[in-house]
Amino acid sequence: MNMEVGIDLVQVSRVEASLARFGERFLRRVFTDTEIAYATSAPTRTAERLAARFAAKEAAIKALDLADRQVGIGWRQIEVAREQSGKCRLILHGAARDAAADAGVAELSVSLTHEGDYSAAVVLAVRADRKPSKNVEETTGA
Amino acid sequence: MTDKIRQILKDHGRLSKDAMSLEEGADLYQAGMTSHASVNVMLALEGEFEIEFPDHMLKRSVFESIQAMRGAIEELTKGA
């Protein structure tokens, strides 16, 4: 077994600026319906929640080593899902799911944090010794 | 087209270098463009050129230089 880690830091006020400048288009190109619903359910925390989710997507790209592999990945293909307990997990879709499976990633874990004007995320990708099936979405469980 | 790309980079790219005089092949990520800034650049390019980058084009190589962006925009506007 081997692991890769990814981290990303996003300034919340810059996400607010993107929302002000590009509005719905920024939301719909980057975030899934579920992510938008959660982030906008608390209007005073929308930008903070979006910033953390954007950081998670970028951290996942790093942990999965997708940037250097020149794989075209839409941000919506990496989704942060929130369980009732508050714990977050990553769900991969489409090309992101396929790339992770091809890389032998069996499990992903994500952690989000906020402080002041910054949100950050860390993603851990665990590769199994044996190449798993392509359906990473069902095997992450993180 | 190149001038419009440069202006968008100046407005949204958060580069540490002058977008208006940057070499066309210069690596924009090396010049300070963050992942979040690249989203803003993409959205501004889509608005300016009335295009939409499909998911398979959302990769580092498409946004890494002025030259690369121009090539991608030309591809998306071809035959339009």
Side-chain angles (χ1 to χ4, degrees):
Chain A
M1 184 198 300
N2 62 70
M3 293 175 282
E4 296 285 345
V5 67
I7 186 170
D8 200 59
L9 177 69
V10 174
Q11 197 169 355
V12 176
S13 54
R14 298 209 182 280
V15 170
E16 282 175 336
S18 293
L19 278 171
R21 173 70 178 81
F22 299 107
E24 192 75 5
R25 220 152 54 81
F26 171 68
L27 279 178
R28 298 289 167 195
R29 290 305 302 277
V30 178
F31 303 99
T32 66
D33 292 347
T34 306
E35 290 172 327
I36 294 168
Y38 174 68
T40 56
S41 65
T44 58
R45 302 191 63 191
T46 295
E48 174 186 288
R49 290 176 173 180
L50 293 176
R53 278 151 185 76
F54 186 80
K57 293 166 193 279
E58 288 297 322
I61 287 170
K62 292 174 184 173
L64 294 168
D65 201 20
L66 295 179
D68 292 336
R69 293 176 62 204
Q70 299 289 4
V71 178
I73 302 290
W75 290 278
R76 290 165 55 92
Q77 294 175 355
I78 302 170
E79 178 176 22
V80 176
R82 191 173 184 276
E83 297 173 354
Q84 279 201 324
S85 65
K87 180 177 169 57
C88 291
R89 64 188 180 92
L90 287 178
I91 300 174
L92 303 182
H93 306 279
R97 182 189 58 206
D98 293 345
D102 287 345
V105 173
E107 194 170 339
L108 286 169
S109 187
V110 62
S111 183
L112 310 178
T113 189
H114 311 279
E115 171 60 39
D117 194 30
Y118 289 90
S119 293
V122 170
V123 169
L124 187 69
V126 179
R127 289 185 171 84
D129 293 332
R130 193 171 64 82
K131 196 171 173 178
S133 70
K134 282 203 166 187
N135 197 346
V136 171
E137 182 175 335
E138 289 183 4
T139 58
T140 56
Chain B
M1 181 188 291
T2 302
D3 287 347
K4 287 179 178 174
I5 296 172
R6 287 185 185 281
Q7 187 61 49
I8 285 169
L9 282 169
K10 184 179 179 181
D11 294 342
H12 301 286
R14 297 186 39 76
L15 305 180
S16 56
K17 297 176 179 172
D18 179 15
M20 305 312 280
S21 60
L22 200 65
E23 284 184 28
E24 289 192 19
D27 188 323
L28 298 172
Y29 294 100
Q30 290 292 325
M33 185 166 72
T34 64
S35 51
H36 176 242
S38 75
V39 176
N40 290 340
V41 167
M42 178 199 75
L43 292 170
L45 289 172
E46 289 186 339
E48 175 66 37
F49 296 101
E50 297 181 342
I51 54 174
E52 183 168 322
F53 289 96
D55 281 350
H56 74 268
M57 290 181 84
L58 298 180
K59 53 189 175 186
R60 194 179 179 90
S61 60
V62 169
F63 298 95
E64 70 184 359
S65 68
I66 293 170
Q67 199 172 43
M69 283 189 236
R70 193 179 58 216
I73 295 163
E74 283 172 353
E75 189 180 325
L76 290 171
T77 54
K78 195 166 51 185

